[in-house]
Amino acid sequence: MIFFKPVMMEASLSCGATAKYSIPPPGRHKFTGQSVRPIPIRILTVGKKRSPGVQLIVDEYIHKLSTHYCPVDDIRVKSNPKNAHDPTVQIEHEDTACMRHIRSDDEWVVLLDENGLDLDSIQMASLIGDAINTGPPSLLFCIGGPYGHGRLLRERANVSIKLSSLVLNHEVALVVLMEQLYRAWTILKGQKYHH
C-alpha cells in the first residue's frame, strides 16, 4: 500500500499576500458535493500563428467549457514582438506584452513552466477550486514562448505548474491545457468524464 502526502505549495493569493494551502494527494477530490461558481478563464499563449488543426481543437474545447462551465477567453501574444536577435531581449519584450494582459492585481495567474508543480488531473481540479475560493475576478493561464517566461510574469504569478516533464511547444501545451481544463471542470462538477 502506498500513501501520498499532500503537496504544500505557496501561492500569492491576492494583493501580494502569501498563504499556504495544500493540494490533496492523488486520487482524492476535496470539492465533491460542493458548489463551484463559474469563473472566467483566460488563456494567454506566446507564439506564432497556430496551425488550423490546433485551432480547431482549441475552439472545440472553448465551446465545451463556455457552454457548460465557464466563459473562456483565448489571448495570443506574438512571439518576439520586436524581432530581437538576443533571446534575453526577446523574453523581456514578450514579458512586457504579457503583463499588459493581466486585468487586475487580484486576477489569479497560473504560469505553465517546465519547473512548476507536477499535478495530476484531480489536483488540477483542486487548484482551480482553490483559486475560485479566493474570490478572484478571473483565472489566467500563461503559456510562454520558446525561451520561457520573463521575470515580471514569474514574480506576478500566483502559482507555477507543469503539464509534463517533457518540454512541449506552445501549440501542444495549449491543446493539453485545454483538455485538462475541461477535465478539471468535469471533476469539479462530479461528472463522468474522468475515470
Side-chain angles (χ1 to χ4, degrees), residues 143-186:
I143 298 173
Y147 299 106
H149 298 287
R151 179 187 56 82
L152 297 173
L153 196 53
R154 287 183 182 281
E155 289 174 0
R156 171 57 181 84
N158 296 80
V159 65
S160 178
I161 65 171
K162 67 178 175 180
L163 296 174
S164 170
S165 294
L166 302 171
V167 176
L168 307 174
N169 79 15
H170 67 278
E171 287 191 332
V172 174
L174 177 60
V175 169
V176 172
L177 175 64
M178 296 303 296
E179 193 281 336
Q180 287 300 303
L181 290 174
Y182 179 75
R183 183 176 296 272
W185 276 100
T186 63

Side-chain angles (χ1 to χ4, degrees), residues 50-71:
R50 291 183 192 147
S51 70
V54 167
Q55 190 61 55
L56 188 66
I57 293 169
V58 169
D59 290 344
E60 180 181 343
Y61 278 108
I62 287 174
H63 176 73
K64 287 180 177 181
L65 285 161
S66 297
T67 302
H68 301 290
Y69 306 110
C70 65

